[in-house]
Every structure is written in structure tokens, then in C-alpha cells.
Amino acid sequence: MERIRELRKSKGMSQIALSLKLNVSQKMISAYENGKSEPSVSVLIELAKLFDTSVDYIIGYSDIKQPLDTILQQSLSKNECELLNTFRSLSKEGQNLALGVLVGLNAYNN
């Protein structure tokens, strides 16, 4: 359940703020993050909605933060998943710059 802590911190949320959004106690959030308790399916779904990610990512079944087709997930390496997650977190301008760098690297290697 490390990912709950990671996602919460990435949004700058405290355990209390997250507990209020999920309608559970702060102690329960702490228990989730420390592996002492597991969230219910309904809480997992709310977490996925709140953090715009998949339940699979939250529970550690996938390294892809954004929900993708299962076949696509199986075809990506861990590095490709990280690249995709990083790319998606960039602004449009940053994405365009990253694409330019990749196209340039590809041309250099060919």
C-alpha cells in the first residue's frame, strides 16, 4: 500500500485531508499506508477516481498509473511504463519537447 502514500503526497494531501475525502478516519489511512489494513473495493475505487489512476496501480498489480487496455499493459516493459507515466505528467509543451528529443535521438541512432 506504499502507493497510497505516494499518490497522496504527490497531490500534497495530508492523511486527514484524504480521510475526509474518503469518509474514513485518519487512523484508517495510516493503517492502509502501513499495510496494517487493506482498503475495501469501494475505497479503492474512490482512491482511483481521486488520483486519476487505476485500482491495479494502487494495489501494485500494474506499474502504469493511468488505466490502459490489459493487452497493452502486458506488452510494455517497466521502462516503457515509467516513460509513459512521466510523459503523461508533463504539460503539453513538455510533451512536445520530449517528443522532439526522442525523434532527435532516434534520428541520431539511425
Side-chain angles (χ1 to χ4, degrees), residues 17-65:
L18 182 56
S19 72
L20 292 171
K21 294 224 179 247
L22 297 175
N23 200 28
V24 298
S25 70
Q26 179 272 328
K27 286 184 179 184
M28 188 58 72
I29 299 297
S30 178
Y32 295 158
E33 291 182 358
N34 292 310
K36 294 179 181 176
S37 183
E38 293 183 357
S40 66
V41 172
S42 61
V43 169
L44 285 170
I45 291 168
E46 288 305 310
L47 284 165
K49 288 178 188 175
L50 180 64
F51 295 120
D52 191 29
T53 191
S54 66
V55 171
D56 283 351
Y57 180 79
I58 294 170
I59 64 173
Y61 184 74
S62 171
D63 288 329
I64 302 172
K65 286 184 181 178

